[in-house]
Amino acid sequence: MIQQNEIIKTYGTNYKTMTRELLETAGLSEMIPSKDARIGIKPNLVAPIPASYGATTHPEIVAGIIEYLRASGFSQIVILESSWVGDKTSESLEVCGYSELLREYDVPFLDMQKDRARKIDAGGMELMICQEALALDFLINVPVLKGHCQTKVTCALKNMKGLIPNSEKRHFHAWGLHRPIAHLAAALHQDFILVDQICGDPDCEDGGNPYVTNCLMAARDPVLCDAYGASLLGYGADEIPYIIMAEELGVGSADLHKLCIRQIGHSQEEEKPAKRRRLVAIQDKVEEVDSCSACYANLVPVLLRLEEEGTLDQLGEKLAIGQGYRGKKGRLGIGNCTRCFEQYIPGCPPEIEEIDAFLREIIRKQAGSEGTDRGVQ
Ligand code: SF4
């Protein structure tokens, strides 16, 4: 059986077969307390974006888990998840291929956007957590290893955010994300982790720049799993505060010296470090205080576009975004939270194309006024 300090990896392109082989090797069935256990599978369906874009869990992996569990005599299986604020889980199910999967395997799906929640003492911080998640006997977490425009990395620990109500997700952002993510991990024990590292986007949680490695990883310790995942994206665990906070809360160990990696099968090509895009350049243009993921994620592609076109530097002002700007004054803002600013784009969150049009208009006016100034001189 897989040990607490182990990660087992496999590579290939037949994701369902790879999953079954990986679960056999890890000895998952020996870890589940009884054949009647209520087993929850938690994929990442953050938004209606197909897995090939690098944002969501491949449905073939979940199919492999269901087949393995059923073949091992387990029948009380549910899938549970919620998309981020701003998108309906039902739409993500359809677009990401899960509606078809549910029909084919006849497995119940529990939408955490519709579930009731209970207040729990999560290692000294009170958090609202969905009741169905708390009622499970065994939780299999199936995150995607990918970048995140606010926390840098998202994998096992942050994936649990899909098991809290939307109202609490907004609070998480207002609380700065890291601390509540760590405390959530203290309250909601992950019994087994299967990481989809097939093509996660190393920059953004909503994908668009998939980095293909065709790898799956099994782990038991979410802190070790995330510390290792962070290293694959080029970060030290100490650069991701929630990993260290979760370690301090006793959730697991971030010490990679203790990590044992086992590989089954052979990688066809050597894995290279993921190439991240120019997020540092665009982060310079943004003042972010407690912004929601969907809001920031809609802003990033627009800034990348402008940067590619060479017009980003013409934005004279920094852009303010986030709940921290509510009721505050400023020059340029993104989203309803900045409604007291001189100029802002409304929406909660505003759509990508709306932000695009808004910023282009600002740049156009800026260029016009500079032209006028030059004429005066
Ligand atoms: S405007 Fe943006 S940051 Fe503010 S609450 Fe809405 S989505 Fe979140």
Side-chain angles (χ1 to χ4, degrees), residues 131-286:
Q131 290 192 352
E132 289 285 2
L134 293 167
L136 296 170
D137 297 314
F138 196 89
L139 175 57
I140 301 175
N141 186 14
V142 199
V144 177
L145 171 61
K146 55 187 173 167
H148 189 275
C149 44
Q150 288 155 286
T151 60
K152 296 192 179 88
V153 173
T154 168
C155 192
L157 291 164
K158 193 175 167 299
N159 198 39
M160 291 292 99
K161 208 165 142 267
L163 302 180
I164 59 173
N166 276 357
S167 53
E168 195 72 335
K169 285 179 194 156
R170 289 188 197 274
H171 292 149
F172 267 45
H173 286 271
W175 295 329
L177 280 177
H178 291 279
R179 197 165 77 90
I181 289 171
H183 281 268
L184 180 60
L188 213 46
H189 180 68
Q190 311 175 26
D191 298 284
F192 188 83
I193 304 146
L194 186 59
V195 180
D196 176 340
Q197 199 210 340
I198 290 169
C199 63
D201 183 331
D203 297 312
C204 295
E205 73 167 326
D206 61 336
N209 177 35
Y211 175 69
V212 178
T213 60
N214 285 323
C215 177
L216 295 181
M217 302 194 282
R220 289 181 71 173
D221 178 344
V223 178
L224 195 63
C225 176
D226 281 15
Y228 178 63
S231 75
L232 295 175
L233 294 185
Y235 297 106
D238 55 350
E239 292 178 82
I240 320 292
Y242 70 75
I243 296 180
I244 301 305
M245 289 174 184
E247 182 180 45
E248 286 166 358
L249 286 166
V251 178
S253 166
D255 186 354
L256 292 181
H257 293 106
K258 294 185 183 151
L259 170 66
C260 289
I261 295 182
R262 227 190 315 161
Q263 187 176 319
I264 56 173
H266 296 285
S267 166
Q268 276 148 6
E269 52 184 271
E270 202 186 327
E271 205 174 306
K272 302 175 199 80
K275 258 198 198 151
R276 298 200 300 268
R277 287 186 289 184
R278 306 159 307 283
L279 285 194
V280 176
I282 64 164
Q283 274 160 358
D284 257 13
K285 298 285 173 201
V286 182

Side-chain angles (χ1 to χ4, degrees), residues 41 43-51 56-59 62 78-84 87-103 107-114:
I41 302 173
N44 183 327
L45 299 176
V46 61
I49 301 166
T56 52
T57 303
H58 286 73
V62 175
V78 296
I79 303 174
L80 62 177
E81 167 64 322
S82 67
S83 294
W84 63 10
D87 275 308
K88 285 188 181 148
T89 313
S90 52
E91 203 182 323
S92 299
L93 281 181
E94 199 59 45
V95 174
C96 300
Y98 283 72
S99 299
E100 201 181 320
L101 176 110
L102 298 176
R103 276 194 296 274
V107 174
F109 179 81
L110 309 174
D111 182 351
M112 295 298 98
Q113 285 181 337
K114 296 179 179 160

Side-chain angles (χ1 to χ4, degrees), residues 170 291-292 295 322-323 326 335-337 347-349:
R170 289 188 197 274
S291 67
C292 300
C295 214
Q323 298 174 55
R326 279 185 183 152
N336 287 353
C337 289
C348 187

Side-chain angles (χ1 to χ4, degrees), residues 317-372:
E317 299 287 332
K318 285 203 175 193
L319 297 164
I321 183 169
Q323 298 174 55
Y325 289 103
R326 279 185 183 152
K328 300 211 169 125
K329 291 197 167 35
R331 299 290 293 275
L332 264 186
I334 302 295
N336 287 353
C337 289
T338 58
R339 66 169 78 244
C340 298
F341 278 47
E342 286 170 24
Q343 296 184 83
Y344 81 104
I345 174 78
C348 187
E351 296 297 328
I352 293 176
E353 294 313 323
E354 292 168 350
I355 299 174
D356 188 279
F358 170 69
L359 294 184
R360 283 179 196 281
E361 181 62 11
I362 302 275
I363 289 170
R364 196 185 61 75
K365 281 187 187 158
Q366 193 95 10
S369 75
E370 275 174 16
T372 311

